[in-house]
């Protein structure tokens, strides 16, 4: 029964300091987090008991109890779930065994502008909700026994939230965990049944287990003493205790849907939209899927598990069931409850199951439908139709206005990954994509919009990829397109070039990079222009031959171009080659990139290019021409010092 003292992991000590000093303005989240943990502990017991029913011992009914003691100034949250052994208490309550802890800590403490609710969101996201108890308590006692262990192997864990904690062995007849919060003076408002019930109703009504509190009844005072509420010894459920997704849609309010989302996602903002459906047929399941309003900061973390919660016949099976949702929709939150999968389904089985494939396909289509609905209403405003009748926009549709733009700003780059990952839905995904263009810098141009306003005789959808929007917008390769008023889509997301490899045409019209292959404007270029270009190329042949020789180590070819108006030169790749931008991105990511040389295209009408002929500085001018073309598209010369030396030599 001897006590042992342990030190907190350094990150935990830092976290506890932040919790106790930063989160006062949103104190009530402690109850949400501790009840959520209690519910998870019961889910874990239910799951383990599938293979070992003896774990239920003599208490098969799972529940959470919330009690308070005004005299002792304590709140106790008790569950009869899986419980903890002594070692598990030391491991789970003394360390944060999550990757990305440092990033989490810096986010929690670094930005002073963060609201308390945002900090609370981070606490929940990183699975360290237990420590939120220190928002209201200056001391926490945890008493627990793991299901299946004898009563004498219970554990008591005590900490004041500073540098260490005490652990001792106790006798605990009941399976599960009790968390006893010794409240600070500024948290005494929670020593009140009405207050606790209102917080539970706000955050935990969806919990499918009963959350019990002791009933109270009014007792009149005696001998001139005031009356008071006294506990009756009976316990009653203070939540609905039925899984939200199992209720009929008509019985669920928007606020309840939003609160459920916040509880499962640990997000402090309402979702953009959601969809709740019962799917029947060969595979039966219920889906409640949400699209968040904001991207999580670890959206691009490859190690982060993502996916929806999986239940089988309302029994919790696993968080982050990635097999149920494609990677490019990893931002989707929600619940899928299957009627067909076995209760002992594993992650390995999920990968192979025919039912899972059907659920994944159905859920993917449902998410794309939600996005299509938002996109349809994104710019919808009431107006007079062609028949003179004014459109009436419903309140529901009005509420959707602007939401797709909001979604796309957060998740558009992730959605593009679907072009390479989801062949079956590629056309639907392509219709949802939005880009800036040479006619508008706002990310609003769809491929359908572009196609609808193509010039007569235009045979391709033109686009350019670059590291930044500014680099794309100012690229020399756009000059002839600007001169002729041809719209070009500007693509500056890192994923764009990779994704566009999988989208060769849209609705029958080919997509053409303006930086690949020889520029061919087809019917948009008149015969006089074509003839002038051919004549220029012929007369410039000797200089081209010299340039090819001078740049043989850098350029695959050198040729005259019609795409340039104001610039002397630009770099392009062959039709099937990898662009220098994509090669740079691959190298930055530590991946192998083929060692391909670009094609240098020169403008024979430019003064600098004309200066080449007969120049004693031909070799230097040729290399300057190439390096400047590289700089113009966001690259760097292979030897920056040599470039500077050449330019300086010509300047003096």
């Amino acid at each position: 029964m001897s006590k042992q003292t342990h030190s907190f992991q350094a990150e935990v000590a830092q976290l506890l300091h932040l919790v106790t000093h930063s989160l006062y303005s949103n104190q009530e989240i402690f109850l949400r987090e501790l009840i959520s943990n209690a519910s998870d502990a019961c889910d874990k017991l239910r799951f383990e008991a599938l293979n070992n029913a003896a774990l239920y011992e003599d208490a098969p009914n799972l529940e959470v109890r919330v009690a308070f003691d005004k005299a002792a100034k304590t709140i106790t949250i008790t569950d009869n779930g899986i419980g903890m052994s002594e070692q598990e208490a030391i491991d789970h309550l003394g360390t944060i065994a999550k990757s990305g802890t440092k990033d989490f800590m810096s986010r929690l403490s670094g930005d002073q502008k963060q609201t308390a609710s945002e900090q609370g969101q981070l606490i929940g996201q990183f699975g360290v909700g237990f420590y939120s108890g220190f928002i209201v308590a200056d001391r926490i006692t945890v008493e627990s026994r793991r299901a299946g262990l004898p009563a004498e192997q219970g554990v008591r864990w005590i900490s004041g939230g500073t540098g260490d904690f005490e652990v001792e062995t106790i006798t605990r007849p009941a399976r599960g965990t009790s968390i006893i919060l010794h409240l600070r003076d500024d948290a005494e408002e929670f020593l009140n049944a009405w207050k606790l019930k209102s917080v539970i109703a706000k955050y935990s009504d969806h919990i499918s287990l009963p959350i019990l509190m002791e009933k109270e009844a009014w007792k009149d005072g005696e001998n001139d003493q005031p009356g008071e509420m006294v506990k009756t010894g009976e316990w009653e459920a203070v939540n609905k205790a039925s899984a939200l997704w199992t209720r009929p849609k008509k019985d669920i309010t928007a606020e309840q849907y939003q609160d459920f989302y916040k509880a499962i996602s640990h997000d402090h903002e309402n979702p953009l939209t959601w969809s709740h459906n019962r799917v029947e047929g060969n595979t039966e399941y219920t889906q409640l899927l949400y699209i968040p309003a904001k991207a999580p900061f670890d959206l691009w973390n490859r190690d982060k598990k993502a996916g929806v919660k999986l239940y089988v016949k309302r029994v919790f099976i696993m968080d982050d069931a990635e097999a149920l949702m494609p990677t490019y929709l990893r931002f989707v939150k929600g619940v899928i409850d299957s009627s067909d999968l076995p209760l002992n389904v594993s992650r390995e089985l999920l990968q192979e199951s025919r039912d899972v494939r059907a659920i994944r396909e159905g859920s993917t289509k449902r998410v794309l439908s939600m996005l299509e609905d938002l996109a349809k209403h994104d710019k919808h405003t009431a107006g007079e139709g062609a028949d003179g009748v004014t459109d009436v926009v419903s309140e529901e549709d009005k509420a959707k206005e602007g939401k797709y733009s909001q979604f796309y700003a957060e998740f558009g780059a992730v959605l593009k990954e679907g072009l390479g990952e989801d062949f079956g839905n590629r056309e639907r995904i392509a219709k949802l994509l939005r880009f800036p263009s040479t006619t508008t810098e706002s990310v609003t141009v769809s491929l359908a919009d572009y196609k609808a306003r193509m010039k007569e005789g235009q045979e391709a959808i033109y686009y350019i990829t670059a590291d930044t929007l500014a680099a794309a917008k100012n690229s020399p390769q756009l000059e002839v397109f600007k001169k002729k008023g041809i719209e070009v889509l500007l693509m500056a997301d890192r994923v764009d070039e990779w994704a566009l490899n999988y989208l060769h045409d849209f609705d029958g019209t080919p997509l053409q990079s303006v930086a690949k292959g020889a520029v061919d404007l087809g019917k948009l270029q008149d015969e006089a222009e074509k003839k002038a270009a051919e004549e220029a190329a012929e007369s410039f042949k000797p200089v081209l031959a010299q340039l090819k020789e001078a740049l043989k180590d850098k350029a695959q070819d050198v040729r005259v171009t019609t795409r340039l108006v104001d610039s002397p030169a630009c770099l392009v790749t062959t039709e099937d080659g990898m662009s220098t931008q994509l090669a740079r991105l691959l190298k930055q990511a530590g991946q192998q990139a083929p060692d391909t040389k670009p094609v240098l295209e020169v403008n024979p009408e430019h003064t600098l290019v004309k200066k080449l002929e007969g120049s004693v500085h031909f070799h230097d001018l040729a290399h300057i021409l190439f390096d400047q073309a590289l700089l113009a598209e966001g690259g760097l010369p292979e030897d920056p010092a040599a470039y500077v030396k050449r330019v300086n030599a010509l300047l003096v």
Side-chain angles (χ1 to χ4, degrees), residues 601-632:
E601 291 193 346
V602 294
N603 176 5
E605 299 302 314
H606 196 277
T607 309
L608 182 58
V609 177
K610 287 180 176 177
K611 199 174 179 181
L612 282 165
E613 201 166 2
S615 173
V616 293
H617 301 293
F618 187 94
H619 188 269
D620 283 339
L621 282 171
H623 281 271
I624 287 170
L625 208 59
F626 183 92
D627 287 344
Q628 283 186 343
L630 190 58
L631 284 166

Side-chain angles (χ1 to χ4, degrees), residues 611 616-617 620-621 624 643-652:
K611 199 174 179 181
V616 293
H617 301 293
D620 283 339
L621 282 171
I624 287 170
Y643 168 73
V644 171
K645 195 174 177 183
R646 286 191 179 107
V647 171
N648 288 347
L650 292 173
L651 287 174
V652 294

